[in-house]
Amino acid sequence: MLRVAVIGSGPSGCYTAQSLVQQDPDVLVDVLDRLPCPYGLVRYGVAPGHEKIKSLQNNLRTVLEHDRVRFLGGVGIGPGGVPAARLRELYHAVVHCVGAATDRHLGIPGEDLPGSWSATEFVSWYSAHPDSTADGFVAGARSAVVIGVGNVAVDVTRMLARGATELSATDIPQSALTALAASGVTDIHMVGRRGPSQARFTTKELRELGSLPDVEVALREQELALDPAYPDPAALPAPQRRNVEVLRGWAAAAPRPAPRTISLRFFLRPVELLAHGGRVGAVRFERTAPDGSGGVRGTGEFEEIEAQLVLRSVGYRGLPVEGLPFDAESGTVPNVYGRVVRGCFVMRGEYVAGWIKRGPTGVIGTNRPDAKETVASLLEDAPALVQRELPGDPLDALRADGVEPVEWAGWCAIEHAEAELGASLGRRVVKLPDWQSLLHAAQGTPPEHPATHGQHA
């Protein structure tokens, strides 16, 4: 009987587990996660209010409730946790699905000024990630600059512009709701160094900016016109063409007064964050222009945009995984069809899937075929892998090593506690925001009919 450890319970890890149990009727899968809660970026990366995307949790839940899948939360792998070598002893195969854990930096003067943050830190705060220790993002801020034009940039821009009434209907933690409800931010600038036809946001996300109540979306026709594809976007791929068509429609509309304004700016490259009163006060940008080969060049013209809050959203990078080789340039683990490669050797029994395999590209659904490719490699290797005798149930061995995972009943107890917290605040479900409250809830009384699946006899 093949035993597999999947590290990470986000979409990539769940799709890997799903593909395994669908294709092998005997495989037993343990999905381990450093956090006591499953679902990865679906829980801690999707913006509050995106109920359709968050409903993906229901699909992932079905995977984790399968009778041959076991969720083991609160289990760190590597320094301070379970050594990767120990996992290889306990399982026939280990699949790492750990994503890209850090954000890219701008590399410009003033980036470390108070008031300058990564979008990742902001998202973690309003998503109640238990590792988040930062707050005070919007305190004292009137103008905010979001650097980047991808979906995460759109998410954080929308969060800064949303009202308390809308947010209170979501699962945003109470402290973040209180802070955003009291926010004095009225001007939000989302800035890209290239043109609208090269922006990375999806049209659905972009359109949501235009549907926010009491918010005006402002554009500058002269900036849009710098993009050679702007006058006639017909030759663009469909996603980019739709983006440009939405922007053209907004640019043609008459402006209307509103309490908050989102300004979409293009062809501006940040060169310095300027200090005022010991914190960020403005961002200095250089005007760029198309270079004729898909990139941009600097023009030597500069502009400053006032900002007491700056959020950078310029991409993610993978971090080295303990016990695995790492390609620092791509931020990935070297692999062939998901099999880890050490030097010149393909390591059967060690696998990767998701962003740590291919880099931070694609959308949530991209992880499904990616996981299937890795699982195909693993199952091809399975006849040789199962020849190795294991010491028994890995959970027994982990407990003997002093590890006490949060099992599925513990996660159900967390869900129950979050529903109770929401009810006590006159809201729906409200996320527990820190390690202590999550672990306390996991150890408390589970729901009336807790799940009892996945015992792996």
Side-chain angles (χ1 to χ4, degrees), residues 69-109:
V69 176
R70 184 166 55 186
F71 173 69
L72 303 177
V75 181
I77 308 301
V82 180
R86 178 61 170 154
L87 281 186
R88 293 194 291 271
E89 294 173 359
L90 300 179
Y91 295 89
H92 293 114
V94 180
V95 188
H96 295 267
C97 308
V98 293
T102 190
D103 58 276
R104 294 181 182 272
H105 289 256
L106 298 170
I108 61 175

Side-chain angles (χ1 to χ4, degrees), residues 1-206:
M1 183 173 290
L2 180 68
R3 283 192 180 271
V4 179
V6 172
I7 313 304
S9 65
S12 178
C14 287
Y15 290 147
T16 297
Q18 181 181 51
S19 189
L20 281 164
V21 296
Q22 285 177 343
Q23 297 185 54
D24 186 331
D26 297 318
V27 66
L28 297 178
V29 182
D30 283 349
V31 179
L32 289 74
D33 202 296
R34 184 178 66 85
L35 300 177
C37 307
Y39 312 137
L41 284 178
V42 177
R43 176 176 167 90
Y44 289 119
V46 175
H50 268 184
E51 297 305 325
K52 186 173 182 180
I53 303 177
K54 281 185 172 292
S55 69
L56 178 62
Q57 290 186 10
N58 297 327
N59 298 333
L60 304 184
R61 183 185 196 94
T62 300
V63 177
L64 295 175
E65 288 183 331
H66 192 282
D67 59 4
R68 286 185 285 118
V69 176
R70 184 166 55 186
F71 173 69
L72 303 177
V75 181
I77 308 301
V82 180
R86 178 61 170 154
L87 281 186
R88 293 194 291 271
E89 294 173 359
L90 300 179
Y91 295 89
H92 293 114
V94 180
V95 188
H96 295 267
C97 308
V98 293
T102 190
D103 58 276
R104 294 181 182 272
H105 289 256
L106 298 170
I108 61 175
E111 187 171 9
D112 295 328
L113 282 169
S116 169
W117 311 82
S118 72
T120 303
E121 292 172 298
F122 187 57
V123 170
S124 293
W125 171 67
Y126 68 61
S127 297
H129 195 293
D131 287 343
S132 175
T133 57
D135 59 13
F137 291 93
V138 296
R142 187 192 68 81
S143 179
V145 166
V146 178
I147 299 173
V149 284
N151 278 346
V152 174
V154 175
D155 271 353
V156 299
T157 296
R158 185 175 59 252
M159 287 297 295
L160 288 169
R162 293 183 71 181
T165 301
E166 299 170 273
L167 289 172
S168 64
T170 73
D171 62 2
I172 187 171
Q174 189 67 21
S175 58
L177 173 62
T178 301
L180 289 171
S183 168
V185 174
T186 57
D187 298 306
I188 307 151
H189 309 263
M190 189 171 76
V191 188
R193 64 185 178 89
R194 298 194 293 180
S197 69
Q198 297 167 311
R200 303 296 296 273
F201 43 63
T202 59
T203 308
K204 179 181 181 296
E205 294 274 351
L206 177 64

Side-chain angles (χ1 to χ4, degrees), residues 350-418:
E350 296 178 87
Y351 306 88
V352 286
W355 279 3
I356 200 63
K357 171 187 174 185
R358 69 179 188 274
T361 61
V363 295
I364 289 174
T366 311
N367 290 294
R368 191 184 293 273
D370 179 276
K372 286 184 176 179
E373 179 184 73
T374 295
V375 168
S377 296
L378 192 161
L379 293 180
E380 187 177 299
D381 300 339
L385 296 175
V386 296
Q387 299 302 313
R388 181 169 62 89
E389 187 174 348
L390 300 181
D393 186 339
L395 181 53
D396 293 338
L398 290 172
R399 284 177 171 152
D401 292 344
V403 178
E404 283 298 334
V406 174
E407 297 186 71
W408 192 254
W411 160 239
C412 290
I414 290 172
E415 288 185 304
H416 185 66
E418 292 185 335

Side-chain angles (χ1 to χ4, degrees), residues 263-412:
S263 298
L264 303 185
R265 305 294 306 275
F266 296 96
F267 292 109
L268 291 173
R269 176 169 58 200
V271 294
E272 185 177 4
L273 271 59
L274 305 175
H276 179 75
R279 57 178 291 119
V280 66
V283 184
R284 191 169 192 243
F285 292 92
E286 181 182 17
R287 168 70 61 195
T288 62
D291 64 5
S293 59
V296 292
R297 56 176 176 80
T299 64
E301 300 176 22
F302 296 90
E303 176 181 342
E304 293 178 10
I305 299 178
E306 177 193 350
Q308 297 80 39
L309 169 63
V310 176
L311 299 173
R312 67 176 184 273
S313 179
V314 291
Y316 295 91
R317 282 189 58 81
L319 292 175
V321 178
E322 192 260 346
L324 293 182
F326 186 70
D327 180 349
E329 186 173 341
S330 65
T332 62
V333 171
N335 70 93
V336 176
Y337 301 118
R339 294 183 180 96
V340 172
V341 175
R342 294 180 183 273
C344 299
F345 299 98
V346 175
M347 308 305 295
R348 287 169 172 79
E350 296 178 87
Y351 306 88
V352 286
W355 279 3
I356 200 63
K357 171 187 174 185
R358 69 179 188 274
T361 61
V363 295
I364 289 174
T366 311
N367 290 294
R368 191 184 293 273
D370 179 276
K372 286 184 176 179
E373 179 184 73
T374 295
V375 168
S377 296
L378 192 161
L379 293 180
E380 187 177 299
D381 300 339
L385 296 175
V386 296
Q387 299 302 313
R388 181 169 62 89
E389 187 174 348
L390 300 181
D393 186 339
L395 181 53
D396 293 338
L398 290 172
R399 284 177 171 152
D401 292 344
V403 178
E404 283 298 334
V406 174
E407 297 186 71
W408 192 254
W411 160 239
C412 290

Side-chain angles (χ1 to χ4, degrees), residues 203-246:
T203 308
K204 179 181 181 296
E205 294 274 351
L206 177 64
R207 284 187 176 128
E208 288 187 17
L209 294 181
S211 65
L212 293 170
D214 300 321
V215 176
E216 168 70 357
V217 178
L219 299 106
R220 301 194 180 191
E221 188 81 41
Q222 65 270 31
E223 287 183 349
L224 300 172
L226 289 172
D227 191 325
Y230 180 75
D232 182 10
L236 290 172
Q240 287 76 24
R241 184 182 71 249
R242 289 192 293 266
N243 285 344
V244 173
E245 288 170 348
V246 169

